[in-house]
Amino acid sequence: MAPRAGTDTGTARARLVLLTLAAGQFLMALDSSVMNVSIATVAEDVGTTVTGIQGAITAYTLVMAMFMIPGGKVGALIGRRRAFMIGCCVYGCGSLTTALAPNLPVLLVGWAFLEGVGASLILPAIVALVAGNFATERRPAAYGLVAAAGAVAIALGPLIGGVATTYFSWRWVFAGEVLVVLGILVLARRIADTASDERPRIDLVGVVLSALGLGIFVYGVLRSDEWGWFRPKPDAPSWLGVSLVVWLMLAGLLLVRLFLHWEARLVARRREPLVDPSMLENKQLTGGLTMFFFQYLVQMGVFFVVPLYLSVALGLSALATGARLLPLSISLLAAAVLIPRFFPDVSPRRVVRLGVLALLAGAVVLMAALDADAGAEVVTVPLLLIGLGMGSLASQLGSVTVSAVPERQSAEVGGVQNAVTNLGASIGTALAGSIMIAALTSSFLTSVEQNPAVPTAVTSKATVELQSGAPFLSDAQLKTALEEAGASTELTQATLDANAEARLDGLRAALAILALTALLALFFTHRIPTSQPRSAAP
């Protein structure tokens, strides 16, 4: 490797580089949330069903999961800036294709495939480029701001999507992404890169094994809501009486284990691996990766639960829902930027532990605040706490993982890190969703059974029809369905009351599992170092 050039060569340039990388992170995260409020509109516009659009979102997640580790290796071979810019070009082509998509197949090519491949090149490169452009002591602040940009994008996604869909068209979101990509490409020329003196080689067997392993595992997780985690839902695929989700996850883990065995074999033969397995023996690196996993699990679970409470339970519009999420974005950004600025020598372990405690406190406070008579204002303090926790973790974890290995491996670390966060995000959303639906269904059926106003025949029919889980419906949606079914006024009111209480029980259950996950994360913080890195790893 040639010596690193351009590290902190000027405050203005450093800010420009940070703005460019943060914009890239913002763009990648935006796609995960911006269209969730517009699924029905997009489906109608391209002539498909809601299920088809949800499939496109799932496919985007799968493509990213499959190619994230190879994407990190590509950056190490051709140069991180080049990989970043190529990824932006691919992503921009995907956004343009999506904006112009006349039907679902074209939408899948643009949104799921091209954008997914682009993201798998961009995200690992961002991790490596921060390491290559900022001195070690400045990396916590840089990583914190970049990570905060991604989380803010997820929080603002519903607001941006709601504005575009309500006043313009969902297509303008993707057209806007093309313009952002063009701006990033112009600014990316200022980013310093390290030239590779090595002849590019890539482990194709490792690419296949890692892609299949991670892809199959994530696919299983994403199907858990529809098929069931362990016990198969009615008409869901199963094998030996166990949900296919379990077998897919086991198959994915087996392929990942084979991948690591193959990589170790390559190292023993002095051949270049896709990922050096010895990295995973590094206590600091695995500690940082573990905390990344827990952070994104809780983070995406919260971003799944809170908008449901605001938009469905309280009936707020997409714009009002996005506005209510702003406290989280503000405290997250403040913590990610200000902690490294004012406490540059603070113990990373202490900050991470306090951050996890803030996540735990926010989830518990929100769980306690949810009530049938509560309004949208009850989410403000919990979201401030959760944002503070996310920002605290973001300010430390990126620097922790990259400083654990030699700088030449930073692109590989970026691939592994983003694969881990992708796993955490997928599991967090699926876990929160499945727990919520299970609790909602149980609570709803119990309320209906105990209500004398509901005939026995109706109770029996509901028990049979809701075996796969009750839908998370607003009062307006449920009232319309009951009126179309010809339900009496008394039965309608009893059902609405049962549904309102069941919704809250489901949300509380989801928050409880997220709080439990945050508590579990505390037991893994001992692997985080107690002092800030002061020099690059040898």
Side-chain angles (χ1 to χ4, degrees), residues 289 292-293 296-297 300 416-426:
L289 293 176
F292 263 120
F293 173 82
Y296 274 78
L297 193 158
M300 295 309 296
V416 175
Q417 176 181 304
N418 281 286
V420 168
T421 58
N422 198 286
L423 290 176
S426 300

Side-chain angles (χ1 to χ4, degrees), residues 122-391:
I122 294 169
L123 291 172
I126 288 175
V127 175
L129 288 170
V130 171
N133 284 265
F134 293 90
T136 308
E137 61 272 13
R138 296 189 61 183
R139 288 177 194 166
Y143 281 120
L145 186 58
V146 168
V152 168
I154 296 173
L156 294 182
L159 180 62
I160 295 172
V163 169
T165 304
T166 302
Y167 298 107
F168 307 101
S169 166
W170 63 270
R171 296 179 185 273
W172 284 102
V173 174
F174 293 95
E177 288 185 351
V178 177
L179 296 179
V180 174
V181 165
L182 292 175
I184 291 173
L185 289 172
V186 171
L187 297 176
R189 294 177 299 173
R190 298 292 188 92
I191 300 175
D193 198 6
T194 51
S196 175
D197 298 326
E198 302 173 5
R199 184 179 179 181
R201 295 188 185 93
I202 193 158
D203 170 24
L204 294 179
V205 175
V207 168
V208 172
L209 288 174
S210 64
L212 287 178
L214 291 172
I216 290 173
F217 184 91
V218 170
Y219 182 73
V221 170
L222 295 174
R223 285 292 178 218
S224 61
D225 188 43
E226 182 181 346
W227 294 347
W229 282 98
F230 300 102
R231 183 180 178 182
K233 293 185 177 182
D235 300 323
S238 63
W239 187 42
L240 300 178
V242 179
S243 172
L244 198 59
V245 167
V246 173
W247 301 112
L248 287 172
M249 292 173 69
L250 289 176
L253 291 175
L254 177 60
L255 286 169
V256 170
R257 181 67 186 88
L258 289 175
F259 163 68
L260 294 175
H261 177 74
W262 172 259
E263 298 302 289
R265 185 179 178 185
L266 289 182
V267 172
R269 294 183 174 184
R270 299 184 180 278
R271 295 172 61 185
E272 189 173 350
L274 190 64
V275 171
D276 188 346
S278 65
M279 287 198 312
L280 301 181
E281 298 173 5
N282 185 311
K283 179 180 177 181
Q284 179 178 324
L285 177 61
T286 55
L289 293 176
T290 301
M291 295 314 300
F292 263 120
F293 173 82
F294 281 115
Q295 177 192 349
Y296 274 78
L297 193 158
V298 176
Q299 177 175 306
M300 295 309 296
V302 167
F303 282 129
F304 174 82
V305 172
V306 176
L308 276 181
Y309 170 69
L310 295 172
S311 62
V312 179
L314 299 185
L316 299 185
S317 66
L319 300 182
T321 297
R324 285 293 176 179
L325 293 174
L326 286 178
L328 184 149
S329 300
I330 293 170
S331 61
L332 188 157
L333 193 59
V337 174
L338 298 181
I339 289 176
R341 181 179 179 86
F342 291 105
F343 304 99
D345 299 319
V346 71
S347 164
R349 184 184 299 175
R350 182 175 299 172
V351 174
V352 168
R353 283 179 173 169
L354 290 174
V356 173
L357 286 173
L359 289 177
L360 174 61
V364 172
V365 171
L366 183 55
M367 182 171 56
L370 293 184
D371 187 79
D373 299 322
E377 67 279 357
V378 300
V379 305
T380 303
V381 172
L383 288 185
L384 284 171
L385 287 170
I386 292 170
L388 181 63
M390 291 179 185

Side-chain angles (χ1 to χ4, degrees), residues 432 435-437 439-440 472 501-511:
I435 294 294
M436 182 190 70
I437 294 301
L440 183 152
F472 197 88
E501 186 59 38
R503 276 194 315 241
L504 293 179
D505 288 340
L507 292 168
R508 292 190 194 104
L511 289 168

Side-chain angles (χ1 to χ4, degrees), residues 27-46 49-50 52-58 60 91 95 98-99 107 111-112 115 153-166 168-177 307 318:
L27 198 59
M28 299 302 98
L30 188 65
D31 256 16
S32 301
S33 62
V34 70
M35 283 294 103
N36 287 342
V37 297
S38 311
I39 289 177
T41 304
V42 178
E44 182 179 358
D45 203 12
V46 298
T49 62
V50 169
I53 301 303
Q54 290 172 332
I57 297 174
T58 300
Y60 173 65
Y91 190 92
S95 296
T98 305
L107 187 78
W111 193 357
E115 289 194 15
I154 296 173
L156 294 182
L159 180 62
I160 295 172
V163 169
T165 304
T166 302
F168 307 101
S169 166
W170 63 270
R171 296 179 185 273
W172 284 102
V173 174
F174 293 95
E177 288 185 351

